[in-house]
Amino acid sequence: MKIGTQLKNTRLLLGLTQEQFSAGIVTESYYSRVESNKNNISMDSLLKILNYNYVSLYDFFEPILKTDIDYEIILTFINHDIKKIKSFDTLNNDGQTLAKLLQAILKRENLDDFRKFKSQVTKYVNKSAKDETCIVFASFILAYLCDLNELNSLINKITAYASTDNGLILRILAHIELVALERFYKAQELEDVKKMANLIQELPNDSVLVLEKVVAKYYLALLDKHIEDANEISKVLKITGYDEYLP
């Protein structure tokens, strides 16, 4: 579901006209094109419209995030559903290794014991289906396992997928960059932090990437020492469960 469609559904539930709902935050003609998914809306304008109409971020984004996707294990991992990932323990040996690794990542456990499985994880993901989605997902896992000096090289390779119109690939790509963002920030590699945040902001304005872009905005606020803005964004991310990527 796209942002414009969800805005329209929300407005209709509230029984408001486009003029009433957009409240002068953007022009009525521009807002009409947003609802028709012909124009994109900035994050700032979206948040202002939702706040003006007393619409919670959770209620607004939940239908967008509940997308029916074939790659169940990928979506399960992105959504940080540890309980569901445990069900993959019944798979073959490679599948069990992957399930245990994904659980360890989500629980923030020490990953040193899994670094020797880098090649095994890549083999498992790529042999499941030889398509771009699994290749990018393999890179997602490796973003947690590789050394920092390998991380930039990994990012450079997967940015080639940024031009795709596949929403799932874009979402995985954004999460790889979020992992890199967090790791570089903890290492105080601030130039790389800025690079990752900007890469996320440059991804297409797709509805599935809204919260990922908010995380990038948080790190940019930290770098610019806009602490009050960072604190406000942090509140939004905690509501939506995306505070996992905060330092």
Side-chain angles (χ1 to χ4, degrees):
M1 184 186 298
K2 292 186 176 293
I3 288 287
T5 303
Q6 180 59 7
L7 278 169
K8 181 178 181 180
N9 292 343
T10 303
R11 177 179 63 78
L12 293 176
L13 281 172
L14 295 175
L16 299 175
T17 65
Q18 289 185 341
E19 182 181 13
Q20 291 169 331
F21 190 68
S22 57
I25 294 165
V26 296
T27 65
E28 184 181 355
S29 60
Y30 188 88
Y31 178 78
S32 178
R33 292 193 295 275
V34 171
E35 278 200 0
S36 301
N37 295 306
K38 294 177 181 176
N39 277 8
N40 294 315
I41 187 168
S42 72
M43 176 55 57
D44 287 342
S45 296
L46 175 62
L47 293 177
K48 285 177 182 177
I49 289 173
L50 296 181
N51 288 336
Y52 179 84
N53 290 285
Y54 301 100
V55 176
S56 79
L57 287 165
Y58 179 82
D59 289 341
F60 182 78
F61 284 119
E62 185 182 27
I64 293 174
L65 296 175
K66 286 186 175 179
T67 306
D68 185 18
I69 295 172
D70 292 333
Y71 297 92
E72 185 178 11
I73 193 168
I74 298 175
L75 187 60
T76 299
F77 183 55
I78 290 176
N79 289 339
H80 291 197
D81 190 342
I82 296 177
K83 183 177 180 181
K84 193 167 185 179
I85 285 177
K86 288 181 178 179
S87 67
F88 294 108
D89 273 344
T90 59
L91 299 173
N92 57 36
N93 289 337
D94 284 348
Q96 289 174 7
T97 299
L98 180 61
K100 285 178 170 44
L101 170 59
L102 298 184
Q103 290 177 60
I105 290 171
L106 295 185
K107 291 177 180 178
R108 302 278 179 145
E109 294 176 354
N110 190 319
L111 298 178
D112 288 342
D113 290 341
F114 289 96
R115 298 194 193 283
K116 60 186 177 183
F117 293 116
K118 282 199 291 186
S119 60
Q120 189 176 358
V121 169
T122 304
K123 176 184 174 183
Y124 170 78
V125 176
N126 285 329
K127 81 177 183 182
S128 297
K130 291 189 178 299
D131 63 11
E132 291 182 343
T133 303
C134 286
I135 293 170
V136 177
F137 184 54
S139 300
F140 187 14
I141 296 170
L142 292 175
Y144 288 97
L145 297 177
C146 69
D147 296 331
L148 277 181
N149 59 359
E150 298 174 306
L151 195 49
N152 259 318
S153 176
L154 177 66
I155 295 296
N156 290 336
K157 288 178 182 177
I158 54 96
T159 50
Y161 296 100
S163 59
T164 183
D165 59 359
N166 183 314
L168 178 56
I169 288 179
L170 285 173
R171 194 172 177 203
I172 300 170
L173 181 59
H175 278 257
I176 294 170
E177 292 168 352
L178 287 180
V179 172
L181 193 61
E182 181 187 12
R183 291 190 65 189
F184 284 133
Y185 186 82
K186 287 182 177 178
Q188 285 297 285
E189 299 287 347
L190 300 186
E191 285 301 316
D192 287 321
V193 172
K194 188 172 184 178
K195 174 186 172 182
M196 292 304 112
N198 286 331
L199 282 175
I200 296 168
Q201 296 284 47
E202 290 166 5
L203 288 171
N205 288 319
D206 193 290
S207 62
V208 299
L209 303 180
V210 170
L211 294 173
E212 288 80 354
K213 290 195 174 193
V214 176
V215 177
K217 190 173 181 180
Y218 170 84
Y219 278 94
L220 289 174
L222 284 183
L223 291 181
D224 293 334
K225 301 191 184 306
H226 296 160
I227 304 304
E228 187 174 335
D229 290 344
N231 289 338
E232 286 301 311
I233 297 171
S234 176
K235 292 176 185 176
V236 171
L237 295 172
K238 286 177 181 176
I239 291 171
T240 55
Y242 268 62
D243 55 324
E244 292 282 344
Y245 288 105
L246 302 187

